[in-house]
Amino acid sequence: MTSLAIEGACAFAWRNYLLLHSGMSENDNRRSALYRYVADLRDTGEDDFDLLQVAAVAYLKKMDELHDDRCARLADQIVAECLESRCARPDT
């Protein structure tokens, strides 16, 4: 399941990214950076598929804004905010 979650989250984010960037190559370096980011996130114990998808999309967005993989890892802040909001929500 681990690799399926990583593959699925990356595929979702990359497919949407390509819709916004039609001139982008399918094999752009950003795709491998995205995979490494999501795999690293998964290795830290995060296994919520929805959260991995959000993190993947946020990562690509930050990479575009900051033009740098290291800085794009600031997307972790978005993941942390998602986790906080989930913890704050009462179960229904």
Side-chain angles (χ1 to χ4, degrees):
M1 178 63 176
T2 300
S3 66
L4 288 177
I6 294 168
E7 293 290 335
C10 289
F12 171 81
W14 190 248
R15 191 170 42 249
N16 285 296
Y17 188 77
L18 289 179
L19 289 173
L20 295 172
H21 301 85
S22 59
M24 183 75 53
S25 167
E26 181 73 29
N27 296 319
D28 190 85
N29 290 337
R30 290 178 193 114
R31 186 176 188 180
S32 58
L34 171 66
Y35 186 87
R36 282 190 307 274
Y37 172 73
V38 174
D40 288 348
L41 187 59
R42 176 59 192 95
D43 288 345
T44 64
E46 183 53 59
D47 61 356
D48 183 315
F49 182 69
D50 293 335
L51 196 56
L52 290 174
Q53 285 181 318
V54 169
V57 171
Y59 174 79
L60 287 171
K61 185 174 190 290
K62 286 291 183 188
M63 188 184 288
D64 273 354
E65 290 172 1
L66 303 171
H67 306 291
D68 186 358
D69 173 56
R70 289 175 308 220
C71 292
R73 289 183 175 263
L74 294 173
D76 291 340
Q77 294 172 350
I78 294 170
V79 173
E81 290 170 10
C82 287
L83 284 173
E84 286 177 18
S85 69
R86 280 191 175 178
C87 291
R89 271 189 302 187
D91 290 336
T92 54

